[in-house]
Amino acid sequence: MTRTRTIVFAIAGGLAVGNLYWAQPLIETIAGELDVSSANAASLVTITQIGYALGIFLIVPLGDVLNRKRLIPIILSVSALALLGAAAAPNFSLLLAALGGVGLTTVSAQILTPLASELADPGQRGKVLGMIVSGTLLGALLARTLSGAVAQFISWRAVYVLAAILAIVLVFVLSALIPKLPEREPIRYTRLLGSVFTTVARHRAAAPTIFLGAAGFAVFSLFWTSLTYLLTAAPFSFSVGQIGLFGLAGVAGALGARRVGTFHDRGWSVPATGIAFGVLLLSFAASWLFRTSTIALLVVVVVLDLASQSNLVLNQTRLLSLPGQDRSRLNTAIVVSNFLAGAIGSAIAGPVWAAGGWTAITITAVAIIVAALIVWVCTRRGALTDQN
């Protein structure tokens, strides 16, 4: 993994994951142009994420058996077609179908990550994956801002045309940059999908690592979904645009986590994971103590994002450092688990807020973090350190 290859992989991952979030700031604009309700337009985000979850499970495992020098450009090409379909959609039904296709095919980042783990020197693996995962996270954070800007100055359809052009550029760049790889032993597709579960069971470190990643992602999603409720209520009463600026504060946290993978390279992955959960715990406590202070909440956003992204990088790197040629299946397991946990975190935010406001949100988050810390304490000298 040369520096150039690492940077390109990070950019490709960011652009791919960004496809999931283009529609979020465009919901009202699309609803008005295609004459649907805002509630119906909001389903565009949901269908894209459902497609993504299916794509992770159905496509990413193929990275363990197919030639990735061909597979990744093919997936990007199909994704570009789906993006162009979204740009040209004459009605809401076709736009919904196109974005479902976008979600299904925007999984190249999750094939590039295990590929990078395979190509990287063991002593540099954490640093390389830290940069790539951070690039992916930055894509998710910045996509909303870029989408809103392009839609404001041109149109919402131009957002998808731009994304398609960037995907096509990446087809040629990655075709040249991905090295020629040895052929893998073919596995029947149904057996390959089933082996995702057996692969996790085979590695003693996999299950607790996946649980820790899922717990961290659940509280991350719970926080960001609930933060909207907090900032729209008194004493803040912020507008949507003002709330969006808090997302830019999260970029600082993601950038700070860029080098956290080096802790893995130095053999400190497990203790650093425990510290990340400890910082998450303190962040939620601070968010409750200073819940009426804008400046304090901005600081909490930066620190909480840093801890969350550090947790994500460390757990994913530790999992993808396990021996064998099944890294794509291991990555499928942790990404799907994170996605489901994040969906649960977002889903419970509304009812928990209605039940007890920010105090109830804090208690819920602390309970999840404490459960993760218990698992970490019980496995930090056993399963988590097992490299088999």
Side-chain angles (χ1 to χ4, degrees):
M1 285 297 295
T2 63
R3 183 168 180 79
T4 298
R5 189 172 285 150
T6 301
I7 292 171
V8 171
F9 277 28
I11 293 171
L15 290 172
V17 172
N19 288 338
L20 300 174
Y21 301 100
W22 299 129
Q24 281 191 340
L26 308 176
I27 289 172
E28 292 296 337
T29 304
I30 291 172
E33 181 173 325
L34 299 183
D35 195 25
V36 296
S37 69
S38 297
N40 283 338
S43 65
L44 294 171
V45 177
T46 304
I47 197 67
T48 307
Q49 292 179 331
I50 291 172
Y52 182 67
L54 287 172
I56 292 294
F57 184 72
L58 297 175
I59 298 175
V60 171
L62 293 171
D64 282 338
V65 295
L66 299 182
N67 187 333
R68 286 155 291 179
K69 189 175 178 67
R70 292 197 295 266
L71 176 63
I72 292 170
I74 288 172
I75 292 171
L76 281 168
S77 298
V78 177
S79 183
L81 290 174
L83 287 163
L84 289 174
N91 57 55
F92 182 75
S93 297
L94 289 177
L95 178 60
L96 197 67
L99 290 185
V102 169
L104 187 68
T105 57
T106 193
V107 296
S108 53
Q110 304 308 335
I111 302 176
L112 285 168
T113 304
L115 172 59
S117 174
E118 181 180 326
L119 295 175
D121 293 331
Q124 295 287 313
R125 185 171 287 140
K127 180 180 178 181
V128 167
L129 291 186
M131 290 185 66
I132 293 172
V133 173
S134 292
T136 302
L137 294 169
L138 285 172
L141 289 168
L142 295 176
R144 303 170 182 88
T145 304
L146 178 61
S147 176
V150 172
Q152 181 174 344
F153 290 105
I154 308 177
S155 75
W156 68 266
R157 295 181 186 276
V159 173
Y160 292 103
V161 173
L162 175 62
I165 292 171
L166 292 172
I168 292 167
V169 170
L170 283 173
V171 168
F172 294 101
V173 173
L174 289 172
S175 294
L177 272 184
I178 296 175
K180 187 175 181 181
L181 301 162
E183 295 291 329
R184 297 283 185 87
E185 181 182 350
I187 302 175
R188 194 172 70 245
Y189 182 64
T190 53
R191 183 184 165 201
L192 177 69
L193 295 184
S195 68
V196 171
F197 304 98
T198 57
T199 298
V200 171
R202 187 166 66 250
H203 295 286
R204 187 165 170 245
T209 298
I210 289 170
F211 176 83
L212 293 175
F217 210 75
V219 295
F220 176 75
S221 297
L222 175 65
F223 174 81
W224 276 104
T225 305
S226 306
L227 188 64
T228 301
Y229 302 136
L230 180 65
L231 296 178
T232 52
F236 301 107
S237 302
F238 286 162
S239 67
V240 174
Q242 289 172 314
I243 293 172
L245 294 176
F246 274 74
L248 296 179
V251 172
L255 287 172
R258 185 166 50 95
R259 298 188 179 278
V260 78
T262 56
F263 289 118
H264 174 88
D265 298 334
R266 296 174 182 177
W268 302 340
S269 175
V270 175
T273 299
I275 292 170
F277 274 110
V279 173
L280 272 178
L281 193 65
L282 293 174
S283 297
F284 271 96
S287 75
W288 182 80
L289 288 171
F290 304 105
R291 57 191 180 278
T292 59
S293 169
T294 302
I295 294 175
L297 285 176
L298 283 170
V299 173
V300 166
V301 164
V302 174
V303 175
L304 186 140
D305 260 40
L306 175 60
S308 296
Q309 313 313 350
S310 297
N311 179 60
L312 179 63
V313 169
L314 290 166
N315 284 301
Q316 194 167 13
T317 303
R318 190 163 58 250
L319 195 68
L320 295 181
S321 297
L322 294 172
Q325 295 187 333
D326 46 18
R327 289 187 175 94
S328 288
R329 279 166 283 182
L330 288 172
N331 199 47
T332 295
I334 194 168
V335 173
V336 170
S337 297
N338 287 349
F339 185 90
L340 292 175
I344 291 170
S346 297
I348 65 175
V352 171
W353 173 267
W358 194 253
T359 299
I361 295 293
T362 303
I363 291 172
T364 304
V366 167
I368 296 171
I369 295 168
V370 169
L373 283 170
I374 291 172
V375 170
W376 176 80
V377 168
C378 293
T379 58
R380 64 191 178 94
R381 298 188 186 279
L384 284 178
T385 59
D386 194 337
Q387 293 300 304
N388 294 319

